[in-house]
């Protein structure tokens, strides 16, 4: 399955971008937050951003790691079946 090999790279990249997006959005929220105008504490905003960014990022990370492991196992089986890497002796 050659289609799975590049997919894990995209999923890991998406997870990283979501983590960076989370940090950037929390920084913007912190800059714009004024306790006198908001009835909710700042940690509520952080929790909401975590659900928006980190939860999908975690799912992308887990899927990417799973596909990377599966691609490595598939490549190892292909090497074992072809005989490549065996030493004569």
């Amino acid at each position: 399955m050659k289609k799975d090999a590049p997919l894990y790279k995209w999923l890991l990249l998406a997870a990283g971008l979501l983590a960076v997006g989370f940090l950037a959005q929390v920084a913007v929220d912190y800059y714009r937050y004024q306790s006198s105008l908001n009835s909710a504490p700042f940690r509520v905003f952080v929790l909401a951003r975590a659900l928006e960014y980190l939860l999908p990022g975690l799912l992308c990370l887990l899927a990417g790691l799973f596909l990377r492991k599966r691609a490595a196992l598939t490549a190892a089986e292909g090497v074992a079946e072809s005989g490549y890497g065996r030493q004569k002796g």
Side-chain angles (χ1 to χ4, degrees):
M1 301 200 123
K2 286 289 189 185
K3 292 181 181 179
D4 290 341
L7 180 61
Y8 77 85
K9 292 179 183 178
W10 287 107
L11 286 170
L12 294 176
L13 178 68
L17 289 175
L18 284 167
V20 170
F22 167 75
L23 292 175
Q25 189 65 46
V26 168
V28 168
D29 285 344
Y30 180 75
Y31 178 73
R32 294 175 55 190
Y33 181 79
Q34 295 179 1
S35 60
S36 61
L37 297 178
N38 294 320
S39 61
F42 183 68
R43 64 179 172 264
V44 173
F45 290 96
V46 174
L47 181 62
R49 297 298 181 203
L51 290 175
E52 290 176 5
Y53 288 93
L54 295 182
L55 185 62
L58 179 65
L59 293 176
C60 287
L61 178 68
L62 292 176
L65 292 175
F66 174 76
L67 290 176
R68 184 174 71 177
K69 185 175 181 180
R70 194 172 84 180
L73 290 175
T74 304
E77 288 176 1
V79 169
E81 289 175 1
S82 68
Y84 183 76
R86 290 187 186 173
Q87 297 179 0
K88 293 183 180 181

